[in-house]
């Protein structure tokens, strides 16, 4: 774990510029009492690059927190719609997005299962990073809003390997297994999952392309 942190620090120094808006967003989020569970800087850069590589214009995010991942996405997209349950998180995110000079983001408050159902605009790229138990339901809703070529990234699908531990049956793990079952069997989508190590320990993300 120390090694994972050291290497992430090395890679961050090697590849990323100091960024006052991103660092400010993390500082304001911590000061406001939000949990320190945003994507790492290197993961945020991956999201940013995936949006650019895929040529996505309209991005949907499920799970805003303080808007840290949102800033990475919004700098690559035309518009971002980001869904957040907790009004306090949404307030902090709006403040962080304004401080970052971003005016292309709409933060929608409420349970994402409900707010997703109200959306109608086609999504080019989706980042799903809220309550893990609902991941299969979130992907179903994103598929409804997708076109051929839409990219979906789902965060935290490995969780220290918990997904592969057959003795575990908590709602998050069950949701992840249901997600994999959906992705394996649904002809509308192709997917893979990559394990990751770094500042946030051992986890992974699932990358999908809608057909
Ligand atoms: N994407 C953020 C981190 C999100 S943390 C980043 O990397 O910077 C997960 C967020 O999902 C939390 O803010 C939590 O309040 C929110 N969340 C949890 N359940 C939710 C639900 N049912 N609907 C919408 N948001 C939810
Ligand atoms: C947690 C949530 C996340 O989205 C994440 O990337 C890491 C941890 C959590 O709820 O603990
Ligand atoms: Mg996450």
């Amino acid at each position: 774990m120390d090694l994972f942190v050291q290497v992430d620090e090395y890679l961050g120094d090697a590849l990323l510029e100091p960024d006052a808006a991103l660092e400010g967003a993390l500082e304001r989020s911590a000061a406001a009492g939000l949990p320190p569970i945003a994507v790492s800087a290197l993961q945020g850069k991956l999201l940013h690059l995936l949006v650019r590589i895929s040529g996505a214009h309209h991005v949907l995010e499920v799970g805003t927190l303080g808007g840290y991942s949102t800033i990475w996405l919004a700098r690559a997209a035309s518009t971002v719609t980001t869904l957040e349950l907790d009004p306090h998180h949404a307030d902090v995110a709006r403040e962080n997005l304004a401080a970052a000079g971003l005016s292309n983001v709409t933060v929608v408050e409420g349970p994402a299962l409900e707010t997703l159902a109200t959306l109608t605009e086609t999504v080019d790229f989706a980042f799903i990073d809220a309550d893990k138990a609902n991941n299969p339901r979130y992907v179903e809703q994103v598929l409804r809003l997708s076109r051929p070529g839409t990219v979906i990234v789902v965060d935290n699908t490995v969780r220290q390997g918990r997904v592969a531990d057959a003795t575990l049956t908590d709602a998050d793990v069950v949701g992840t297994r249901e997600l994999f079952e959906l992705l394996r069997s649904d002809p509308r989508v192709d997917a893979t999952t990559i394990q990751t190590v770094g500042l946030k320990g051992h986890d992974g993300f699932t990358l999908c392309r809608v057909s």
Side-chain angles (χ1 to χ4, degrees), residues 8-29:
D8 251 10
E9 281 168 0
Y10 168 82
L11 294 172
D13 288 345
L15 289 169
L16 304 176
E17 301 293 332
D19 190 310
L22 288 166
E23 285 150 28
L26 291 181
E27 280 162 23
R28 271 185 297 274
S29 298

Side-chain angles (χ1 to χ4, degrees), residues 96-133:
N96 285 334
L97 291 159
L102 293 163
S103 54
N104 59 335
V105 180
T106 307
V107 183
V108 180
E109 284 179 32
L113 277 182
E114 289 175 25
T115 54
L116 266 171
T118 69
L119 301 182
T120 54
E121 194 181 12
T122 300
V123 168
D124 302 310
F125 185 102
F127 178 50
I128 300 180
D129 190 23
D131 50 325
K132 314 309 170 189

